[in-house]
Amino acid sequence: AQKVTQAQTEISVVEKEDVTLDCVYETRDTTYYLFWYKQPPSGELVFLIRRNSFDEQNEISGRYSWNFQKSTSSFNFTITASQVVDSAVYFCALSENSNSGYALNFGKGTSLLVTP
Amino acid sequence: NAGVTQTPKFQVLKTGQSMTLQCAQDMNHEYMSWYRQDPGMGLRLIHYSVGAGITDQGEVPNGYNVSRSTTEDFPLRLLSAAPSQTSVYFCASRPLGGAQTNYGYTFGSGTRLTVV
């Protein structure tokens, strides 16, 4: 069963639009960690954020913000005023003790295209 | 520079050939893991290790072998390559402990493998 669901396969926006990438996860652990990674066309994986299950505070980093809601098992990612350089594949991932020693369980990714 | 080094970056194999993908880290991380990335599938865990001499299977271990003789190295072996193993392979490491505090995965830059 898919533990991390990123329902949006592809999103296309025009520069300066806001865009939200959805992530829904499934776990029975009380302690777990959620991540977002960015994979630009060059292929490397870029760490964006880690959030633990005990911290539901939303976080903002520049144009990026994250909304963690345990009640809906969601960890959504919003890019404000998108830029062409934001074009990439974005992965949400879950890390839980019951899975291979906190291995990362990735969603299938959302491909974001930002056009000028 | 400190980090995770993967070699080679690109490789083409013929069906039935064997090869080893190398992964080395210089951060004294106990936990190391191998993922494969296929289009539309996200990243899936192949094998992982929590320390020298200890390895275990992930989600998609068939066709791959690993060993961990040192803390630094975690090679991935394909004994008889098949076209289904055409993929991008990522190695990742992290400290074993401190899961309740800050820890993060460091990813290598990936190996793009084509089996013809």
Side-chain angles (χ1 to χ4, degrees), chain A residues 2 31-33 35 37 39 41-45 47 50 52 54 89 91 95-96 99-109, chain B residues 31 35 37 40-45 48 50 57-59 88 90 92 94 96 98-109:
Chain A
Q2 187 73 21
T31 301
Y32 55 90
Y33 300 84
F35 297 77
Y37 284 87
Q39 187 175 45
S42 53
E44 75 272 23
L45 286 162
F47 167 79
R50 177 190 73 94
N52 74 55
F54 299 108
V89 179
F91 292 99
S95 177
E96 49 189 342
N99 177 31
S100 304
Y102 286 104
L104 290 169
N105 194 327
F106 286 86
K108 295 184 178 181
Chain B
Y31 188 103
Y35 291 85
Q37 182 180 15
M41 295 296 293
L43 283 82
R44 293 179 292 169
L45 182 66
Y48 68 99
V50 297
Q57 296 180 351
E59 179 185 357
V88 180
F90 286 96
R94 68 163 175 85
L96 185 61
Q100 287 77 24
T101 60
N102 285 326
Y103 75 91
Y105 284 83
T106 301
F107 278 85
S109 58

Side-chain angles (χ1 to χ4, degrees), chain A residues 1-18:
Chain A
Q2 187 73 21
K3 286 206 160 193
V4 177
T5 302
Q6 296 180 255
Q8 304 148 310
T9 305
E10 296 180 352
I11 299 176
S12 182
V13 300
V14 177
E15 208 170 17
K16 299 184 182 177
E17 285 185 11
D18 298 346

Side-chain angles (χ1 to χ4, degrees), chain A residues 40-59:
Chain A
S42 53
E44 75 272 23
L45 286 162
V46 179
F47 167 79
L48 296 178
I49 190 172
R50 177 190 73 94
R51 173 68 71 209
N52 74 55
S53 54
F54 299 108
D55 183 2
E56 285 193 75
Q57 281 191 338
N58 292 332
E59 182 154 340

Side-chain angles (χ1 to χ4, degrees), chain B residues 48-60:
Chain B
Y48 68 99
S49 168
V50 297
I54 306 170
T55 64
D56 207 344
Q57 296 180 351
E59 179 185 357
V60 287

Side-chain angles (χ1 to χ4, degrees), chain A residues 21-95:
Chain A
L21 309 182
D22 297 333
C23 173
V24 174
Y25 63 92
E26 178 185 336
T27 181
R28 293 183 178 181
D29 287 14
T30 54
T31 301
Y32 55 90
Y33 300 84
L34 295 163
F35 297 77
W36 276 95
Y37 284 87
K38 174 183 180 180
Q39 187 175 45
S42 53
E44 75 272 23
L45 286 162
V46 179
F47 167 79
L48 296 178
I49 190 172
R50 177 190 73 94
R51 173 68 71 209
N52 74 55
S53 54
F54 299 108
D55 183 2
E56 285 193 75
Q57 281 191 338
N58 292 332
E59 182 154 340
I60 298 174
S61 176
R63 296 184 297 106
Y64 295 169
S65 62
W66 291 269
N67 183 352
F68 176 30
Q69 290 195 339
K70 289 178 72 171
S71 61
T72 56
S73 297
S74 65
F75 187 44
N76 296 337
F77 173 32
T78 297
I79 302 174
T80 302
S82 59
Q83 300 176 0
V84 172
V85 293
D86 295 327
S87 295
V89 179
Y90 291 86
F91 292 99
C92 180
L94 168 69
S95 177

